[in-house]
Amino acid sequence: MLAASVLWGTTGTAATFAPDVGPLAIGAVAMGLGGLLQALVAASRIARQAPRLRARRGTVLLGAAAVAAYPLAFYSSMHLAGVAVGTVVSIGMAPPASAVIERVMDRRRLTRRWKLGAALGLLGTLMLCAGQAARAPGGAERTSAAATVLGVGLGLIAATTYALYSWAAHRLITQGITSRAAMGAVFGMGGLLLVPVLLVTGAPLLDSGSNMAVGAYMALVPMFAGYVLFGWGLAHVPASTATTLSLLEPAVAAVLAVLVIGERLPAAGWGGIALVLACLAVLTAPADISWRRRQRRDDVTPSARRPGQVAVADAAARPVVRPEKRQPPRKVPSSER
C-alpha cells in the first residue's frame, strides 16, 4: 500500500511536464489505459474466475463506475481549486468516506488505532495544504470563489469514488477472487468507460514527444504498477486502512515538488509531512506489542541455550500443575450411624 502511494505521489510532478494537456485527458489516459492494461495482463485469471465475477457483477459494476469517475473528478478538482486544496480534499477525505462505507455495508467497527491514525494523517495533510497555500504567490495563482467551491465539490466526489472502488475490490478479494482478477475486472471495465473521454479530449497528448511520454508514464507506472500493488495490499488490509495509508501520496508529491520542480516548502508543510509519517507508523505497527513475551516464546530456543541456562520460555509455556487439596473426612452425625 505504501509503495503504491509513493508511485501515485509522482503524478502531480509528471503532469507539470505536459502543461498543454487538460485534466480530463490526463485522468482518462492514466486510469483508462492503465485499467485496460491491468485487464489485459490478468485476462487468463479473469477468464478462470468469470463465473464468480458474474455472480458478483453488481460489485464489479459499482467499482468500475467509481474507477471511471475518480480521475475525472480528481484532476479537475486540482485544476479548479489548486493542487494543494484538490489533493487534500480528494485524498484526505477518502479515509472517513471509506469508514462510512464499511460501517454501512459491512457493519465494521472503527478501532481506536484507526481513529488515531486517521486524525494524525488528516491533520498532517491539512498542515501540508496550509504550507503549500502560504508558499503560492498571488495573482495568477489565485482562483475565484466559484471555481474553488466547484473544485472542493469535485474533490469530495473523488474521495467518495476512491473509497467506493477500494471497497468493491476488497469485497471481491475477500469473497474468494484473486487480487489480479478482481483488480483487472474492475479497472478494465472502468478503463472501457474512460475510452470515449480519452478520444474526445486526448488530442493534445499527441502534439509532442514530451506529452506522449507523460501519458505513457502515467498509464504504466503510477496507475498500472501502482494499482497492482494496491490490489495485493487490499488482500491483507481493509479498505479504510488502505485509503488512510494513501495519505502518504500528498507528502510524496510535496517532497518531489521541492526536489524536482524547485518549489519551497515552509515549516508548516514539513510539520504536516511528519504527522503523515506518524499516522503511517501508528497504522503499520504490529498489533501485538508485547515483544518481551514473543522474545521469551520465539527467541529462546533449545539450540541457542548454553549449558545450565534456565529454559525461561519452556517454563513459561509449561502448564502449572497444582496438587489437589484433600477434603477433610466428613463427620457422620450420630443420628445417621
Side-chain angles (χ1 to χ4, degrees):
M1 302 304 306
L2 296 179
S5 299
V6 170
L7 293 181
W8 296 336
T10 65
T11 57
T13 301
T16 60
F17 293 97
D20 299 331
V21 182
L24 296 181
I26 288 290
V29 72
M31 292 289 261
L33 294 185
L36 291 176
L37 186 57
Q38 283 201 57
L40 180 63
V41 172
S44 59
R45 293 177 175 86
I46 294 174
R48 285 197 298 267
Q49 298 197 346
R52 291 186 176 183
L53 290 170
R54 282 195 296 268
R56 297 161 179 83
R57 55 184 174 272
T59 304
V60 175
L61 292 175
L62 177 63
V67 165
Y70 168 74
L72 306 180
F74 177 56
Y75 289 102
S76 297
S77 174
M78 290 192 296
H79 178 73
L80 292 172
V83 175
V85 176
T87 303
V88 165
V89 176
S90 301
I91 305 301
M93 294 306 295
S98 181
V100 170
I101 292 172
E102 288 186 350
R103 181 64 176 170
V104 173
M105 303 297 291
D106 301 331
R107 298 294 189 268
R108 184 181 180 85
R109 297 182 61 185
L110 301 180
T111 63
R112 293 181 180 178
R113 176 198 288 242
W114 182 90
K115 293 177 182 178
L116 175 61
L120 289 174
L122 187 56
L123 178 59
T125 307
L126 291 174
M127 289 182 62
L128 183 58
C129 171
Q132 290 176 330
R135 182 203 62 214
E141 293 289 333
R142 293 182 178 176
T143 58
S144 65
T148 301
V149 171
L150 180 58
V152 169
L154 290 173
L156 293 175
I157 294 175
T160 304
T161 51
Y162 175 31
L164 272 176
Y165 71 69
S166 301
W167 174 83
H170 178 73
R171 183 71 172 266
L172 293 173
I173 293 170
T174 55
Q175 291 180 344
I177 299 174
T178 62
S179 63
R180 295 291 294 276
M183 297 294 289
V186 170
F187 280 79
M189 293 190 65
L192 286 176
L193 296 176
L194 287 170
V195 168
V197 180
L198 181 59
L199 293 177
V200 173
T201 63
L205 289 166
L206 305 177
D207 289 344
S208 65
S210 62
N211 290 353
M212 289 189 290
V214 168
Y217 172 81
M218 298 278 282
L220 293 175
V221 180
M223 296 306 156
F224 172 68
Y227 277 102
V228 169
L229 297 172
F230 183 74
W232 288 343
L234 280 176
H236 303 283
V237 298
S240 57
T241 302
T243 53
T244 307
L245 291 174
S246 66
L247 292 175
L248 181 63
E249 177 184 346
V252 172
V255 172
L256 288 178
V258 172
L259 298 178
V260 178
I261 305 176
E263 295 182 350
R264 299 183 61 184
L265 193 63
W270 292 111
I273 291 176
L275 286 178
V276 170
L277 295 179
C279 156
L280 303 179
V282 169
L283 292 177
T284 57
D288 185 9
I289 61 174
S290 57
W291 60 272
R292 292 181 180 177
R293 186 183 306 168
R294 294 200 308 271
Q295 187 179 24
R296 294 195 197 102
R297 184 177 65 248
D298 300 331
D299 294 346
V300 184
T301 58
S303 60
R305 299 190 190 109
R306 295 186 300 273
Q309 183 178 357
V310 179
V312 180
D314 292 348
R318 189 180 304 121
V320 178
V321 180
R322 296 182 174 85
E324 296 183 358
K325 294 183 179 180
R326 293 188 176 183
Q327 299 293 333
R330 178 174 175 268
K331 295 183 178 180
V332 182
S334 58
S335 60
E336 296 180 4
R337 292 175 185 171

PDB file of all heavy atoms in Angstrom, residues 63-93:
ATOM      1  N   GLY A  63     -17.705  -0.795  -8.711  1.00  0.00           N
ATOM      2  CA  GLY A  63     -16.294  -0.441  -8.689  1.00  0.00           C
ATOM      3  C   GLY A  63     -15.831   0.172  -9.998  1.00  0.00           C
ATOM      4  O   GLY A  63     -15.051   1.132 -10.013  1.00  0.00           O
ATOM      5  N   ALA A  64     -16.307  -0.363 -11.145  1.00  0.00           N
ATOM      6  CA  ALA A  64     -15.913   0.172 -12.446  1.00  0.00           C
ATOM      7  C   ALA A  64     -16.408   1.599 -12.648  1.00  0.00           C
ATOM      8  O   ALA A  64     -15.680   2.461 -13.153  1.00  0.00           O
ATOM      9  CB  ALA A  64     -16.439  -0.733 -13.555  1.00  0.00           C
ATOM     10  N   ALA A  65     -17.651   1.876 -12.249  1.00  0.00           N
ATOM     11  CA  ALA A  65     -18.168   3.237 -12.362  1.00  0.00           C
ATOM     12  C   ALA A  65     -17.371   4.201 -11.494  1.00  0.00           C
ATOM     13  O   ALA A  65     -17.085   5.347 -11.899  1.00  0.00           O
ATOM     14  CB  ALA A  65     -19.647   3.264 -11.966  1.00  0.00           C
ATOM     15  N   ALA A  66     -16.965   3.752 -10.291  1.00  0.00           N
ATOM     16  CA  ALA A  66     -16.158   4.607  -9.425  1.00  0.00           C
ATOM     17  C   ALA A  66     -14.771   4.838 -10.017  1.00  0.00           C
ATOM     18  O   ALA A  66     -14.225   5.947  -9.931  1.00  0.00           O
ATOM     19  CB  ALA A  66     -16.047   3.972  -8.037  1.00  0.00           C
ATOM     20  N   VAL A  67     -14.197   3.813 -10.634  1.00  0.00           N
ATOM     21  CA  VAL A  67     -12.885   3.963 -11.284  1.00  0.00           C
ATOM     22  C   VAL A  67     -12.952   4.988 -12.410  1.00  0.00           C
ATOM     23  O   VAL A  67     -12.041   5.808 -12.587  1.00  0.00           O
ATOM     24  CB  VAL A  67     -12.397   2.597 -11.814  1.00  0.00           C
ATOM     25  CG1 VAL A  67     -11.235   2.767 -12.792  1.00  0.00           C
ATOM     26  CG2 VAL A  67     -11.976   1.698 -10.658  1.00  0.00           C
ATOM     27  N   ALA A  68     -14.023   4.970 -13.181  1.00  0.00           N
ATOM     28  CA  ALA A  68     -14.155   5.917 -14.298  1.00  0.00           C
ATOM     29  C   ALA A  68     -14.378   7.340 -13.804  1.00  0.00           C
ATOM     30  O   ALA A  68     -13.883   8.307 -14.411  1.00  0.00           O
ATOM     31  CB  ALA A  68     -15.312   5.486 -15.200  1.00  0.00           C
ATOM     32  N   ALA A  69     -15.088   7.510 -12.703  1.00  0.00           N
ATOM     33  CA  ALA A  69     -15.390   8.857 -12.221  1.00  0.00           C
ATOM     34  C   ALA A  69     -14.237   9.470 -11.445  1.00  0.00           C
ATOM     35  O   ALA A  69     -14.051  10.701 -11.467  1.00  0.00           O
ATOM     36  CB  ALA A  69     -16.644   8.821 -11.341  1.00  0.00           C
ATOM     37  N   TYR A  70     -13.450   8.637 -10.763  1.00  0.00           N
ATOM     38  CA  TYR A  70     -12.422   9.168  -9.873  1.00  0.00           C
ATOM     39  C   TYR A  70     -11.402  10.075 -10.567  1.00  0.00           C
ATOM     40  O   TYR A  70     -11.184  11.214 -10.118  1.00  0.00           O
ATOM     41  CB  TYR A  70     -11.708   8.026  -9.150  1.00  0.00           C
ATOM     42  CG  TYR A  70     -10.456   8.462  -8.438  1.00  0.00           C
ATOM     43  CD1 TYR A  70     -10.512   9.193  -7.262  1.00  0.00           C
ATOM     44  CD2 TYR A  70      -9.197   8.162  -8.973  1.00  0.00           C
ATOM     45  CE1 TYR A  70      -9.356   9.620  -6.618  1.00  0.00           C
ATOM     46  CE2 TYR A  70      -8.039   8.577  -8.335  1.00  0.00           C
ATOM     47  CZ  TYR A  70      -8.125   9.299  -7.164  1.00  0.00           C
ATOM     48  OH  TYR A  70      -6.977   9.726  -6.538  1.00  0.00           O
ATOM     49  N   PRO A  71     -10.714   9.644 -11.643  1.00  0.00           N
ATOM     50  CA  PRO A  71      -9.662  10.515 -12.196  1.00  0.00           C
ATOM     51  C   PRO A  71     -10.212  11.804 -12.796  1.00  0.00           C
ATOM     52  O   PRO A  71      -9.547  12.841 -12.730  1.00  0.00           O
ATOM     53  CB  PRO A  71      -9.009   9.637 -13.272  1.00  0.00           C
ATOM     54  CG  PRO A  71     -10.065   8.673 -13.660  1.00  0.00           C
ATOM     55  CD  PRO A  71     -10.841   8.406 -12.417  1.00  0.00           C
ATOM     56  N   LEU A  72     -11.413  11.744 -13.368  1.00  0.00           N
ATOM     57  CA  LEU A  72     -12.002  12.962 -13.932  1.00  0.00           C
ATOM     58  C   LEU A  72     -12.269  13.978 -12.830  1.00  0.00           C
ATOM     59  O   LEU A  72     -11.995  15.182 -12.983  1.00  0.00           O
ATOM     60  CB  LEU A  72     -13.288  12.616 -14.681  1.00  0.00           C
ATOM     61  CG  LEU A  72     -13.169  11.531 -15.761  1.00  0.00           C
ATOM     62  CD1 LEU A  72     -14.519  11.293 -16.430  1.00  0.00           C
ATOM     63  CD2 LEU A  72     -12.115  11.900 -16.791  1.00  0.00           C
ATOM     64  N   ALA A  73     -12.816  13.513 -11.704  1.00  0.00           N
ATOM     65  CA  ALA A  73     -13.082  14.429 -10.597  1.00  0.00           C
ATOM     66  C   ALA A  73     -11.792  14.880  -9.920  1.00  0.00           C
ATOM     67  O   ALA A  73     -11.645  16.057  -9.559  1.00  0.00           O
ATOM     68  CB  ALA A  73     -14.001  13.744  -9.577  1.00  0.00           C
ATOM     69  N   PHE A  74     -10.825  13.977  -9.764  1.00  0.00           N
ATOM     70  CA  PHE A  74      -9.591  14.288  -9.040  1.00  0.00           C
ATOM     71  C   PHE A  74      -8.769  15.354  -9.770  1.00  0.00           C
ATOM     72  O   PHE A  74      -8.394  16.382  -9.177  1.00  0.00           O
ATOM     73  CB  PHE A  74      -8.778  13.008  -8.855  1.00  0.00           C
ATOM     74  CG  PHE A  74      -7.445  13.212  -8.190  1.00  0.00           C
ATOM     75  CD1 PHE A  74      -7.354  13.821  -6.957  1.00  0.00           C
ATOM     76  CD2 PHE A  74      -6.281  12.783  -8.799  1.00  0.00           C
ATOM     77  CE1 PHE A  74      -6.123  14.008  -6.331  1.00  0.00           C
ATOM     78  CE2 PHE A  74      -5.051  12.967  -8.201  1.00  0.00           C
ATOM     79  CZ  PHE A  74      -4.977  13.570  -6.965  1.00  0.00           C
ATOM     80  N   TYR A  75      -8.482  15.135 -11.031  1.00  0.00           N
ATOM     81  CA  TYR A  75      -7.638  16.085 -11.766  1.00  0.00           C
ATOM     82  C   TYR A  75      -8.385  17.388 -12.045  1.00  0.00           C
ATOM     83  O   TYR A  75      -7.763  18.453 -12.089  1.00  0.00           O
ATOM     84  CB  TYR A  75      -7.129  15.445 -13.053  1.00  0.00           C
ATOM     85  CG  TYR A  75      -6.104  14.364 -12.795  1.00  0.00           C
ATOM     86  CD1 TYR A  75      -6.459  13.018 -12.850  1.00  0.00           C
ATOM     87  CD2 TYR A  75      -4.796  14.687 -12.478  1.00  0.00           C
ATOM     88  CE1 TYR A  75      -5.525  12.022 -12.600  1.00  0.00           C
ATOM     89  CE2 TYR A  75      -3.858  13.703 -12.216  1.00  0.00           C
ATOM     90  CZ  TYR A  75      -4.221  12.369 -12.289  1.00  0.00           C
ATOM     91  OH  TYR A  75      -3.298  11.384 -12.013  1.00  0.00           O
ATOM     92  N   SER A  76      -9.689  17.320 -12.218  1.00  0.00           N
ATOM     93  CA  SER A  76     -10.453  18.567 -12.385  1.00  0.00           C
ATOM     94  C   SER A  76     -10.492  19.365 -11.091  1.00  0.00           C
ATOM     95  O   SER A  76     -10.459  20.603 -11.108  1.00  0.00           O
ATOM     96  CB  SER A  76     -11.880  18.243 -12.844  1.00  0.00           C
ATOM     97  OG  SER A  76     -11.870  17.616 -14.107  1.00  0.00           O
ATOM     98  N   SER A  77     -10.550  18.683  -9.948  1.00  0.00           N
ATOM     99  CA  SER A  77     -10.516  19.373  -8.668  1.00  0.00           C
ATOM    100  C   SER A  77      -9.199  20.127  -8.489  1.00  0.00           C
ATOM    101  O   SER A  77      -9.187  21.290  -8.053  1.00  0.00           O
ATOM    102  CB  SER A  77     -10.711  18.369  -7.529  1.00  0.00           C
ATOM    103  OG  SER A  77     -10.557  18.978  -6.275  1.00  0.00           O
ATOM    104  N   MET A  78      -8.076  19.487  -8.812  1.00  0.00           N
ATOM    105  CA  MET A  78      -6.787  20.166  -8.695  1.00  0.00           C
ATOM    106  C   MET A  78      -6.687  21.325  -9.679  1.00  0.00           C
ATOM    107  O   MET A  78      -6.087  22.357  -9.380  1.00  0.00           O
ATOM    108  CB  MET A  78      -5.651  19.167  -8.919  1.00  0.00           C
ATOM    109  CG  MET A  78      -5.480  18.168  -7.806  1.00  0.00           C
ATOM    110  SD  MET A  78      -3.934  17.254  -7.934  1.00  0.00           S
ATOM    111  CE  MET A  78      -4.191  16.384  -9.487  1.00  0.00           C
ATOM    112  N   HIS A  79      -7.284  21.167 -10.864  1.00  0.00           N
ATOM    113  CA  HIS A  79      -7.225  22.228 -11.870  1.00  0.00           C
ATOM    114  C   HIS A  79      -8.030  23.456 -11.433  1.00  0.00           C
ATOM    115  O   HIS A  79      -7.611  24.597 -11.675  1.00  0.00           O
ATOM    116  CB  HIS A  79      -7.763  21.689 -13.194  1.00  0.00           C
ATOM    117  CG  HIS A  79      -7.785  22.703 -14.294  1.00  0.00           C
ATOM    118  ND1 HIS A  79      -6.642  23.147 -14.930  1.00  0.00           N
ATOM    119  CD2 HIS A  79      -8.813  23.369 -14.882  1.00  0.00           C
ATOM    120  CE1 HIS A  79      -6.957  24.038 -15.853  1.00  0.00           C
ATOM    121  NE2 HIS A  79      -8.272  24.184 -15.848  1.00  0.00           N
ATOM    122  N   LEU A  80      -9.166  23.249 -10.775  1.00  0.00           N
ATOM    123  CA  LEU A  80     -10.040  24.363 -10.398  1.00  0.00           C
ATOM    124  C   LEU A  80      -9.647  24.988  -9.059  1.00  0.00           C
ATOM    125  O   LEU A  80      -9.583  26.214  -8.931  1.00  0.00           O
ATOM    126  CB  LEU A  80     -11.491  23.887 -10.340  1.00  0.00           C
ATOM    127  CG  LEU A  80     -12.137  23.512 -11.674  1.00  0.00           C
ATOM    128  CD1 LEU A  80     -13.491  22.867 -11.448  1.00  0.00           C
ATOM    129  CD2 LEU A  80     -12.268  24.738 -12.562  1.00  0.00           C
ATOM    130  N   ALA A  81      -9.413  24.166  -8.046  1.00  0.00           N
ATOM    131  CA  ALA A  81      -9.155  24.678  -6.701  1.00  0.00           C
ATOM    132  C   ALA A  81      -7.686  24.774  -6.361  1.00  0.00           C
ATOM    133  O   ALA A  81      -7.341  25.278  -5.288  1.00  0.00           O
ATOM    134  CB  ALA A  81      -9.865  23.795  -5.668  1.00  0.00           C
ATOM    135  N   GLY A  82      -6.808  24.307  -7.234  1.00  0.00           N
ATOM    136  CA  GLY A  82      -5.384  24.286  -6.931  1.00  0.00           C
ATOM    137  C   GLY A  82      -4.945  22.907  -6.490  1.00  0.00           C
ATOM    138  O   GLY A  82      -5.739  22.108  -5.992  1.00  0.00           O
ATOM    139  N   VAL A  83      -3.654  22.640  -6.679  1.00  0.00           N
ATOM    140  CA  VAL A  83      -3.120  21.319  -6.364  1.00  0.00           C
ATOM    141  C   VAL A  83      -3.260  21.013  -4.877  1.00  0.00           C
ATOM    142  O   VAL A  83      -3.642  19.906  -4.482  1.00  0.00           O
ATOM    143  CB  VAL A  83      -1.648  21.223  -6.811  1.00  0.00           C
ATOM    144  CG1 VAL A  83      -1.040  19.895  -6.388  1.00  0.00           C
ATOM    145  CG2 VAL A  83      -1.544  21.391  -8.321  1.00  0.00           C
ATOM    146  N   ALA A  84      -2.965  22.006  -4.025  1.00  0.00           N
ATOM    147  CA  ALA A  84      -2.990  21.756  -2.586  1.00  0.00           C
ATOM    148  C   ALA A  84      -4.396  21.407  -2.106  1.00  0.00           C
ATOM    149  O   ALA A  84      -4.627  20.370  -1.484  1.00  0.00           O
ATOM    150  CB  ALA A  84      -2.456  22.976  -1.835  1.00  0.00           C
ATOM    151  N   VAL A  85      -5.356  22.276  -2.413  1.00  0.00           N
ATOM    152  CA  VAL A  85      -6.727  22.054  -1.943  1.00  0.00           C
ATOM    153  C   VAL A  85      -7.322  20.808  -2.586  1.00  0.00           C
ATOM    154  O   VAL A  85      -7.970  19.986  -1.914  1.00  0.00           O
ATOM    155  CB  VAL A  85      -7.595  23.290  -2.231  1.00  0.00           C
ATOM    156  CG1 VAL A  85      -9.047  23.027  -1.847  1.00  0.00           C
ATOM    157  CG2 VAL A  85      -7.060  24.502  -1.486  1.00  0.00           C
ATOM    158  N   GLY A  86      -7.130  20.630  -3.888  1.00  0.00           N
ATOM    159  CA  GLY A  86      -7.686  19.461  -4.568  1.00  0.00           C
ATOM    160  C   GLY A  86      -7.148  18.165  -4.014  1.00  0.00           C
ATOM    161  O   GLY A  86      -7.898  17.202  -3.808  1.00  0.00           O
ATOM    162  N   THR A  87      -5.836  18.127  -3.746  1.00  0.00           N
ATOM    163  CA  THR A  87      -5.243  16.901  -3.211  1.00  0.00           C
ATOM    164  C   THR A  87      -5.717  16.627  -1.793  1.00  0.00           C
ATOM    165  O   THR A  87      -6.027  15.489  -1.431  1.00  0.00           O
ATOM    166  CB  THR A  87      -3.711  17.003  -3.242  1.00  0.00           C
ATOM    167  OG1 THR A  87      -3.292  17.250  -4.580  1.00  0.00           O
ATOM    168  CG2 THR A  87      -3.074  15.716  -2.753  1.00  0.00           C
ATOM    169  N   VAL A  88      -5.772  17.670  -0.972  1.00  0.00           N
ATOM    170  CA  VAL A  88      -6.184  17.487   0.422  1.00  0.00           C
ATOM    171  C   VAL A  88      -7.620  16.959   0.498  1.00  0.00           C
ATOM    172  O   VAL A  88      -7.909  16.010   1.232  1.00  0.00           O
ATOM    173  CB  VAL A  88      -6.048  18.804   1.200  1.00  0.00           C
ATOM    174  CG1 VAL A  88      -6.794  18.733   2.515  1.00  0.00           C
ATOM    175  CG2 VAL A  88      -4.589  19.113   1.442  1.00  0.00           C
ATOM    176  N   VAL A  89      -8.521  17.552  -0.274  1.00  0.00           N
ATOM    177  CA  VAL A  89      -9.915  17.120  -0.214  1.00  0.00           C
ATOM    178  C   VAL A  89     -10.062  15.711  -0.794  1.00  0.00           C
ATOM    179  O   VAL A  89     -10.726  14.847  -0.203  1.00  0.00           O
ATOM    180  CB  VAL A  89     -10.817  18.121  -0.958  1.00  0.00           C
ATOM    181  CG1 VAL A  89     -12.260  17.621  -0.991  1.00  0.00           C
ATOM    182  CG2 VAL A  89     -10.766  19.487  -0.278  1.00  0.00           C
ATOM    183  N   SER A  90      -9.439  15.453  -1.930  1.00  0.00           N
ATOM    184  CA  SER A  90      -9.619  14.161  -2.617  1.00  0.00           C
ATOM    185  C   SER A  90      -8.996  13.014  -1.841  1.00  0.00           C
ATOM    186  O   SER A  90      -9.598  11.936  -1.719  1.00  0.00           O
ATOM    187  CB  SER A  90      -9.015  14.228  -4.023  1.00  0.00           C
ATOM    188  OG  SER A  90      -9.630  15.240  -4.781  1.00  0.00           O
ATOM    189  N   ILE A  91      -7.798  13.210  -1.332  1.00  0.00           N
ATOM    190  CA  ILE A  91      -7.107  12.140  -0.618  1.00  0.00           C
ATOM    191  C   ILE A  91      -7.429  12.164   0.873  1.00  0.00           C
ATOM    192  O   ILE A  91      -7.635  11.136   1.506  1.00  0.00           O
ATOM    193  CB  ILE A  91      -5.585  12.244  -0.845  1.00  0.00           C
ATOM    194  CG1 ILE A  91      -5.269  12.255  -2.351  1.00  0.00           C
ATOM    195  CG2 ILE A  91      -4.859  11.100  -0.173  1.00  0.00           C
ATOM    196  CD1 ILE A  91      -5.751  11.038  -3.098  1.00  0.00           C
ATOM    197  N   GLY A  92      -7.489  13.372   1.453  1.00  0.00           N
ATOM    198  CA  GLY A  92      -7.710  13.461   2.888  1.00  0.00           C
ATOM    199  C   GLY A  92      -9.093  13.033   3.331  1.00  0.00           C
ATOM    200  O   GLY A  92      -9.260  12.539   4.454  1.00  0.00           O
ATOM    201  N   MET A  93     -10.108  13.212   2.480  1.00  0.00           N
ATOM    202  CA  MET A  93     -11.461  12.828   2.847  1.00  0.00           C
ATOM    203  C   MET A  93     -11.797  11.388   2.479  1.00  0.00           C
ATOM    204  O   MET A  93     -12.879  10.903   2.804  1.00  0.00           O
ATOM    205  CB  MET A  93     -12.467  13.772   2.189  1.00  0.00           C
ATOM    206  CG  MET A  93     -12.402  15.211   2.683  1.00  0.00           C
ATOM    207  SD  MET A  93     -12.556  15.346   4.482  1.00  0.00           S
ATOM    208  CE  MET A  93     -14.225  14.744   4.717  1.00  0.00           C
TER     209      MET A  93
END
